[in-house]
Amino acid sequence: MNEPSNPIPETAPTPPLQSPAPPLPNVQIKAAMLLVLMLVLVGGSVIYLMYARGAFESTQKLVLVADDSEGVVVGMDLTFSGFPIGRVSRIALSPTGNVHMTVDVAQADAHWLRSSSIFTLERGLVGNTRLRAYSGILTDPLLQGGATRNLLVGDASAEIPHLVAAAKELIQNLKTLTAADSSLDASLSNVKILTEKLSGRNGALGALLGDEKNAQKLILALDQANSLLAKVDNLAAKADTQVFGPGGLMKDTQATIVQLNGLLLEARASLKKVDAVLVEAQAVGANARAGTADLGALRADIETSLRKVDHLVNEINRKWPFRHDAELKLP
Amino acid sequence: MNPKSSFSDKSLDASTGFLKRTHERARRWLARAWRTLHFAALILSLAFSPATYSRDNRAAIATQIVGGMWPNLLWFTVLCALISLVLIRIVVVTALSYGLSKYALEMVVRVLVLELIPLTAAAFVALRCTLPDGVELAEMRARGDLTAFRREGIDPVRREALPRVMAGVFSVLTLVAVSCITSLVLAYLSIYGFTPWGIAGYNRVVGQVFSPAVSMILLLKTVFFSLAVSLIPMASSLYDEANMSMQSRSKAARELASMVRLFSVILLIEVASLMGNYY
């Protein structure tokens, strides 16, 4: 093995050196241009990637707290109405066991976040987990930098176990319902028997009454009812003749009504007379009222006279010699 | 003579021969790997040494860089743009048919820029530039030109090998950079068309794909590709031993062996980068 630092075997013949290929024109300038192009491309790419990752935009911090950070990765977008307004820059476990996700929200888009904004973490069955912000009232005060908000988690896949359990229960119920000895099966058998009876000789009657003998009885009863109806019809025709026919009850009734009209007219005349008597009675009442007014004055006079008599009696009693002393003497 | 003992002697001889051959192969493989690593260290130390950039060496380096890059740059860019366009179209249409169009751009960037273009650029430079350069160097060595350089006081590694290695490295880096940027522009135009309104969303997706780890892996992968593509053919041409059976091989067989070695290393680097990116 040759020595690595001296790779050229000395055993080779030593012919004169071949003339090198003719140099390219302006080779050093072209080489410099290519190197500069490479440096510009690499440097430009680095600067573009830094710009694309948001290294040059001013941001404010927002801390989102969740129970579980599954599906969330650093660099993930926080979207508002479908537009990315921030990036997850750090995910850390807090001492209380919650997950703190630090989101860098671009200052230019920070005005979409208000103090009343809510933040959700949505995990779909297919595709990425999504962080979304909703601001219902855009007139609320702006969200301060470094604010901490709880994350509402909506997990479609978490519903699957519940869904499966419910479906299982439903299938079990269906199984019970459709089993050979189930109530539904018994009901269907009864329906079958019923339909057989319905399509039988006695039809629905046979199905309702259960027995052919009963159905026959009912049919017989119906026939009798029919004949009864025919008799009733005959009877009604006769009654019509009796009531409305010539010399029937209706004519007598009409004559009675005419007589009643005459009676009523007489009664009206009598009532008019009673009215006149009442007018007179009213006049008597008025006179009696006037008389009572005079009676008041008369009463006053009598009272005055009585007082005078009373006074006179008192005077006589006082002046009378046999007046006894009314004073009581105690022993 | 006991036939049983004769059989056991023969099998012993066979197994001893197999072990010897395996040992010889392993020794050669290790020696070659060591020589390649040593050559890499030598070239890197020379590349960072100011004495390398003397007037004559500068001219040689410039000639190799221009000769290696200038003809390939345009062709490779055009070829890469066409292939990228076809792949982008396939990915976008497929994603659209599955209703996953929002992931199309990310997939295009990952498949093309992160994986395919660096690999293609390295293979292109190896086939068009460094493998022929290696053969040329081997021929110079066989002719005794390198010995003649040494006799004249010129370091043949510094004068002939280093410029070719540097040309290979810069070719790979430049082609990767140009092709990646072309593909990114084509991806934008294919998905959004000639409108500026998709730029914000596009930047965001590209920014998400190129996380610091992924960017670092892409950079390291490209640098290792360029080093492998440039160093292995030169090391093979300079260090093949005179007394080895390789000497008896034809020129084509030697080139093929060097190429297989080179692509094995490229494959290893690619596997390592895939593991870094997706594990």
Side-chain angles (χ1 to χ4, degrees), chain A residues 4 6 14-15 48 53 77, chain B residues 143 150-151 203-204 207 239:
Chain A
N6 183 18
T14 56
Y48 167 70
R53 287 191 64 78
D77 283 337
Chain B
R143 276 202 309 269
R150 176 156 292 168
R151 209 178 310 115
N203 286 345
R204 198 162 265 274
Y239 291 118

Side-chain angles (χ1 to χ4, degrees), chain A residues 1-18 22-24 26-28 30-35 37-38 41-42 45 48-49 51-53 57 75-78 84-87 106 109 126-128 130, chain B residues 31 34-35 38 42 55 58-59 62-63 65-67 69-70 73 100 102-103 141-152 156-157 170 173-174 177-178 181 184 202-204 206-208 210-212 215 238-242:
Chain A
M1 182 166 81
N2 283 346
E3 199 62 30
S5 57
N6 183 18
I8 319 302
E10 296 298 336
T11 54
T14 56
L17 269 175
Q18 282 191 347
L24 298 165
N26 300 324
V27 69
Q28 297 218 15
K30 282 182 183 172
M33 277 169 59
L34 287 172
L35 290 180
L37 173 74
M38 190 199 79
L41 289 177
V42 173
S45 302
Y48 167 70
L49 286 181
Y51 167 75
R53 287 191 64 78
E57 66 185 12
M76 205 171 117
D77 283 337
L78 168 71
I85 58 169
R87 287 187 181 85
D109 295 320
V126 178
N128 282 340
R130 285 184 291 271
Chain B
W34 167 247
R35 279 197 306 268
H38 191 276
L42 179 70
R55 188 185 168 82
R58 268 210 315 273
T63 308
I65 286 176
V66 173
M69 274 169 71
W70 201 255
L73 189 61
L100 300 169
K102 60 180 179 177
Y103 303 113
R141 179 188 164 204
R143 276 202 309 269
D145 288 358
L146 303 184
T147 320
F149 273 127
R150 176 156 292 168
R151 209 178 310 115
E152 287 182 10
V157 174
F170 284 121
L173 294 180
T174 311
V178 170
I181 290 169
L184 284 174
Y202 175 81
N203 286 345
R204 198 162 265 274
V206 172
Q208 275 178 350
F210 283 93
S211 65
S215 308
L238 285 180
Y239 291 118
D240 277 346
E241 293 169 29

Side-chain angles (χ1 to χ4, degrees), chain B:
Chain B
M1 194 176 170
N2 188 357
K4 210 170 185 178
S5 70
S6 150
F7 176 74
S8 78
D9 284 348
K10 271 183 188 170
S11 68
L12 193 66
D13 285 349
S15 57
T16 313
F18 172 74
L19 280 174
K20 272 184 181 169
R21 279 197 304 278
T22 312
H23 170 257
E24 183 63 22
R25 276 197 206 113
R27 194 190 65 79
R28 249 189 254 159
W29 189 86
L30 282 172
R32 201 178 294 127
W34 167 247
R35 279 197 306 268
T36 308
L37 283 176
H38 191 276
F39 179 69
L42 179 70
I43 289 288
L44 286 178
S45 61
L46 283 176
F48 289 107
S49 153
T52 305
Y53 301 98
S54 65
R55 188 185 168 82
D56 291 342
N57 280 350
R58 268 210 315 273
I61 290 168
T63 308
Q64 289 296 337
I65 286 176
V66 173
M69 274 169 71
W70 201 255
N72 295 336
L73 189 61
L74 185 67
W75 278 113
F76 182 75
T77 309
V78 170
L79 199 72
C80 199
L82 283 174
I83 294 170
S84 300
L85 211 55
V86 172
L87 284 176
I88 290 165
R89 196 75 203 141
I90 290 170
V91 169
V92 169
V93 169
T94 312
L96 202 66
S97 67
Y98 284 106
L100 300 169
S101 55
K102 60 180 179 177
Y103 303 113
L105 179 59
E106 189 175 337
M107 193 172 168
V108 163
V109 172
R110 280 191 185 280
V111 169
L112 275 180
V113 179
L114 290 185
E115 306 304 337
L116 283 183
I117 287 175
L119 196 64
T120 320
F124 190 84
V125 170
L127 292 174
R128 291 271 301 168
C129 187
T130 54
L131 282 171
D133 278 354
V135 173
E136 191 186 14
L137 205 64
E139 281 174 354
M140 285 174 78
R141 179 188 164 204
R143 276 202 309 269
D145 288 358
L146 303 184
T147 320
F149 273 127
R150 176 156 292 168
R151 209 178 310 115
E152 287 182 10
I154 301 168
D155 182 3
V157 174
R158 191 171 274 176
R159 176 60 63 86
E160 293 297 332
L162 179 69
R164 285 174 170 79
V165 170
M166 286 182 85
V169 169
F170 284 121
S171 291
V172 172
L173 294 180
T174 311
L175 292 189
V176 169
V178 170
S179 311
C180 284
I181 290 169
T182 313
S183 297
L184 284 174
V185 172
L186 284 174
Y188 177 81
L189 293 178
S190 297
I191 292 169
Y192 296 98
F194 288 91
T195 169
W197 303 112
I199 289 176
Y202 175 81
N203 286 345
R204 198 162 265 274
V205 173
V206 172
Q208 275 178 350
V209 172
F210 283 93
S211 65
V214 169
S215 308
M216 185 55 71
I217 286 172
L218 175 65
L219 187 70
L220 287 177
K221 179 167 79 171
T222 312
V223 168
F224 282 125
F225 272 169
S226 67
L227 288 175
V229 156
S230 314
L231 288 168
I232 291 172
M234 303 304 152
S236 297
S237 61
L238 285 180
Y239 291 118
D240 277 346
E241 293 169 29
N243 56 354
M244 271 172 59
S245 58
M246 286 280 268
Q247 197 74 353
S248 62
R249 287 187 188 178
S250 68
K251 182 184 153 194
R254 223 181 318 170
E255 282 175 32
L256 203 64
S258 170
M259 201 164 80
V260 168
R261 216 154 34 223
L262 170 60
F263 283 112
S264 309
V265 174
I266 286 180
L267 192 70
L268 281 178
I269 296 170
E270 182 62 33
V271 168
S273 88
L274 286 175
M275 285 174 70
N277 270 337
Y278 302 107
Y279 280 96

Side-chain angles (χ1 to χ4, degrees), chain A residues 238-256:
Chain A
K238 282 179 182 169
D240 189 45
T241 316
Q242 290 280 329
V243 175
F244 298 105
L249 197 61
M250 204 62 190
K251 211 152 196 179
D252 293 344
T253 312
Q254 274 175 353
T256 313

